[in-house]
Amino acid sequence: MKNRVLLVEDDEKLRSIMQEEIEDLDLECDSAASLEQAINFYENNVYDLVVSDLKLPDGEGFDLLDRVQRNEAVKPDFILVTAFGTVPQAVEALKMGASDFLTKPLDLEHFSLKIKKVLHSRELKREVIELHERFFKKSFHGIIGQSPVMQELFKQIQTMAKAEGPVLIMGESGTGKELVARSIHDESSRKNQKFIPVNCASIPAELFESEFFGHEQGSFTGAQKKRKGLVQEAEGGTLFLDEISEMPLDLQAKLLRFLQEKKIRPVGGEEISIDVRILAATNRDL
């Protein structure tokens, strides 16, 4: 299918020359002599490119450019042409979304090259979008893979998502363990609740209980107000303990009652029950 161009130029002779130049590029071209006529063409047709003079009998090319940019559908590219070219006008046109800016008198060879360049760039963008859509249609919650091994992983994620027990995800650094954890959450009945990832190696030992379980006001020096811990923040959702192997063993032991009974005791507070799904990950052989 040929690319389609809308040409807007009030000078009849120049408009005829420009239209001929455009059609010589094997493009379809509609031409208008005024802003009103151009808008009528634009609203009743689909164009890949609009080439418009800045000064028109009933308005400015900027008015047409603004109308094009407000279109929620696929926008055509836009080249503004003027005999009154200045740097501020060029900058303004580009800021508004124009693809290029040309001044009169036109160099027809340069004019043709600009049109080809803009349409070529448009075609490349279209191909990138199509490839992107095709690529991600074959993804699973952002995880890309079509091999039998990856398809089996997706099935395992769906199976794990239906369960409520804790899951340990193992794999080398950079293999996407958090993506898998998020996928399990997003596939589960908790998908509308919070997913809170925690880097276990980053929790200082002296702040562990407060960070995980929270604290009551005045429970220790500096505890000026009550604070929810990470576990409470994830109430109803999923808590992801990333690199669980990096947490010292004595701190891991403090998680035991919570993991077994889903109960926590904020520092200085009473024991409370918590409904949280636990996912963990490690890059080590535990």
Side-chain angles (χ1 to χ4, degrees), residues 174-279:
T175 52
K177 297 187 292 297
E178 184 170 340
L179 273 177
V180 170
R182 285 184 181 275
S183 298
I184 292 173
H185 172 78
D186 290 341
E187 282 284 313
S188 75
S189 60
R190 299 174 181 267
K191 62 184 178 182
N192 294 322
Q193 304 300 320
K194 288 184 179 180
F195 174 89
I196 296 185
V198 182
N199 184 342
C200 293
S202 69
I203 307 293
E206 62 274 15
L207 298 177
F208 174 83
E209 288 186 90
S210 175
E211 287 292 317
F212 265 88
F213 306 135
H215 62 254
E216 297 294 324
Q217 182 177 357
S219 57
F220 57 87
T221 303
Q224 298 180 354
K225 59 182 180 179
K226 181 177 180 179
R227 179 189 173 188
K228 287 184 177 181
L230 293 167
V231 176
Q232 284 179 280
E233 288 290 338
E235 171 72 28
T238 302
L239 183 67
F240 174 51
L241 305 178
D242 195 13
E243 303 303 349
I244 186 69
S245 58
E246 301 306 306
M247 183 184 291
L249 287 175
D250 60 323
L251 298 186
Q252 289 187 35
K254 292 184 178 182
L255 286 175
L256 186 57
R257 180 168 173 78
F258 162 59
L259 292 173
Q260 288 180 326
E261 301 181 21
K262 295 292 182 70
K263 293 181 179 180
I264 64 169
R265 184 186 297 276
V267 178
E270 300 292 326
E271 187 174 76
I272 56 176
S273 296
I274 294 289
D275 174 26
V276 175
R277 175 110 189 250
I278 300 298
L279 306 179

Side-chain angles (χ1 to χ4, degrees), residues 3-221:
N3 284 315
R4 197 168 187 184
V5 179
L6 173 59
L7 171 64
V8 190
E9 169 60 56
D10 60 323
D11 184 310
E12 185 177 354
K13 184 176 180 180
L14 179 58
R15 184 172 68 252
S16 178
I17 294 172
M18 293 171 72
Q19 182 168 358
E20 184 176 343
E21 196 73 21
I22 291 170
E23 290 175 344
D24 283 346
L25 296 174
D26 197 28
L27 305 171
E28 292 186 2
C29 182
D30 291 327
S31 63
S34 67
L35 179 61
E36 182 181 3
Q37 191 178 5
I39 290 174
N40 185 57
F41 269 119
Y42 178 71
E43 291 183 344
N44 291 283
N45 297 278
V46 176
Y47 296 99
D48 299 286
L49 173 64
V50 176
V51 179
S52 177
D53 192 9
L54 175 61
K55 298 294 183 180
L56 297 168
D58 54 347
E60 290 193 338
F62 280 122
D63 298 323
L64 183 58
L65 174 58
D66 180 62
R67 198 177 192 92
V68 167
Q69 290 302 311
R70 285 189 282 111
N71 187 355
E72 294 183 2
V74 178
K75 301 178 180 68
D77 281 272
F78 202 103
I79 296 177
L80 199 63
V81 183
T82 180
F84 308 93
T86 64
V87 172
Q89 284 176 317
V91 171
E92 184 64 24
L94 296 175
K95 281 183 177 179
M96 289 178 66
S99 305
D100 217 324
F101 184 95
L102 297 173
T103 57
K104 298 176 182 177
L106 283 180
D107 178 326
L108 293 179
E109 183 177 355
H110 182 62
F111 174 63
S112 296
L113 287 173
K114 283 293 184 183
I115 289 177
K116 288 193 286 187
K117 178 182 176 182
V118 168
L119 290 176
H120 178 63
S121 176
R122 182 179 182 82
E123 184 59 31
L124 289 178
K125 289 176 184 176
R126 183 183 292 130
E127 289 178 5
V128 168
I129 291 172
E130 288 176 356
L131 286 172
H132 184 274
E133 289 177 348
R134 191 183 311 164
F135 188 64
F136 280 97
K137 278 180 181 176
K138 295 177 180 176
S139 73
F140 180 83
H141 295 286
I143 305 175
I144 310 302
Q146 301 178 55
S147 69
V149 172
M150 292 303 293
Q151 296 303 313
E152 181 59 32
L153 172 63
F154 299 158
K155 290 179 182 177
Q156 289 181 351
I157 288 173
Q158 290 174 318
T159 300
M160 292 298 100
K162 295 175 184 177
E164 277 295 314
V167 176
L168 177 65
I169 304 164
M170 303 180 71
E172 296 178 6
S173 295
T175 52
K177 297 187 292 297
E178 184 170 340
L179 273 177
V180 170
R182 285 184 181 275
S183 298
I184 292 173
H185 172 78
D186 290 341
E187 282 284 313
S188 75
S189 60
R190 299 174 181 267
K191 62 184 178 182
N192 294 322
Q193 304 300 320
K194 288 184 179 180
F195 174 89
I196 296 185
V198 182
N199 184 342
C200 293
S202 69
I203 307 293
E206 62 274 15
L207 298 177
F208 174 83
E209 288 186 90
S210 175
E211 287 292 317
F212 265 88
F213 306 135
H215 62 254
E216 297 294 324
Q217 182 177 357
S219 57
F220 57 87
T221 303

